[in-house]
């Protein structure tokens, strides 16, 4: 076995075997390397521990953020469900109101059609009554004219009767005079 020396130099026996001094130096060199490696390993472990703690902190922060995102998502889902139910109720109410308004509009339309029909019937009756009234007014005018004519004739007849009566009285008075004048004779 050949010992590794830092300088590569050492005392060798003539047969090429290592001496105790070479072994001690190699051991000291190995111990210094081991100490340096331990320090480096300790440094690496401490860096790894710090990084591990940072990673754990980052994971915890990520988990907290994830939990808050999930909570916000759940709250949003609950709010969405509530809003959806609210909209469903509004839709149902609106549908009910629309149906009721449609029924009311149809009833109003039916009443309007009925009233229009009654109005047309009333207008027809009014025209018929007006025509009958016009005919009656014409008949009344004709009858008034006839009555005026008859009154005129009656007045003429009364005047003629009065004249005839006056003539009869005069004739009676004349006859009485003539009879009175003839009686003494």
């Amino acid at each position: 076995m050949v010992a590794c020396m830092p300088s590569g130099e050492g005392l060798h026996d003539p047969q090429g075997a290592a001496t105790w001094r070479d072994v001690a130096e190699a051991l000291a060199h190995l111990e210094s390397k081991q100490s340096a490696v331990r320090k480096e390993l300790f440094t690496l472990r401490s860096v790894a521990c710090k990084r591990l703690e940072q990673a754990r902190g980052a994971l915890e922060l990520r988990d907290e953020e994830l939990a808050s995102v999930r909570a916000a998502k759940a709250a949003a889902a609950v709010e969405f469900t509530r809003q959806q139910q609210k909209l469903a109720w509004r839709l149902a109410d609106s549908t009910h109101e629309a149906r009721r308004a449609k029924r009311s509009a149809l009833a109003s339309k039916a009443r309007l059609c009925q009233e229009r029909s009654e109005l047309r019937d009333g207008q027809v009756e009014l025209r018929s009554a007006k025509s009958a009234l016009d005919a009656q007014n014409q008949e009344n005018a004709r009858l008034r004219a006839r009555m005026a004519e008859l009154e005129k004739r009656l007045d003429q007849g009364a005047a003629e009767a009065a004249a005839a009566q006056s003539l009869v009285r005069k004739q009676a008075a004349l006859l009485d005079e003539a009879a009175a004048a003839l009686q003494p004779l």
Side-chain angles (χ1 to χ4, degrees):
M1 177 172 176
V2 177
C4 293
M5 305 262 318
S7 62
E9 299 175 9
L11 297 172
H12 297 285
D13 69 10
Q15 295 174 357
T19 63
W20 284 106
R21 189 172 175 191
D22 291 337
V23 170
E25 283 178 6
L27 187 60
H29 179 65
L30 285 174
E31 284 177 354
S32 73
K33 275 190 170 185
Q34 182 183 13
S35 174
V37 167
R38 278 186 184 168
K39 284 181 185 177
E40 189 176 336
L41 185 61
F42 179 75
T43 304
L44 288 175
R45 278 186 183 164
S46 105
V47 167
C49 284
K50 285 180 184 177
R51 286 186 180 166
L52 182 63
E53 287 300 316
Q54 288 174 347
R56 283 183 185 155
L59 282 175
E60 287 176 4
L61 183 61
R62 185 203 65 165
D63 289 344
E64 288 174 6
E65 288 175 357
L66 186 60
S68 68
V69 165
R70 285 181 181 154
K73 181 182 174 185
V78 167
E79 180 63 21
F80 178 75
T81 303
R82 189 180 69 77
Q83 291 293 330
Q84 194 175 23
Q85 288 173 347
K86 200 180 207 183
L87 287 174
W89 281 107
R90 281 185 184 171
L91 178 64
D93 286 345
S94 296
T95 302
H96 177 71
E97 289 295 322
R99 286 181 184 154
R100 199 170 89 202
K102 184 178 179 180
R103 283 192 304 265
S104 177
L106 289 174
S108 294
K109 183 179 178 181
R111 282 193 304 271
L112 181 62
C113 288
Q114 179 67 29
E115 288 174 4
R116 282 182 180 168
S117 176
E118 289 173 2
L119 179 63
R120 275 188 239 119
D121 292 346
Q123 287 174 341
V124 167
E125 288 177 18
L126 184 62
R127 284 188 203 116
S128 296
K130 187 176 184 263
S131 294
L133 184 61
D134 287 344
Q136 192 175 10
N137 284 341
Q138 287 175 354
E139 182 65 21
N140 285 344
R142 190 183 64 74
L143 289 175
R144 280 190 191 117
R146 178 79 175 133
M147 198 164 107
E149 183 184 322
L150 289 176
E151 284 177 354
K152 187 177 175 185
R153 279 183 166 175
L154 186 61
D155 288 342
Q156 284 176 353
E160 286 175 4
Q165 202 175 29
S166 173
L167 183 60
V168 168
R169 276 190 219 136
K170 284 184 186 178
Q171 284 178 348
L174 193 56
L175 280 176
D176 284 341
E177 266 181 41
L182 281 180
Q183 264 194 12
L185 289 174

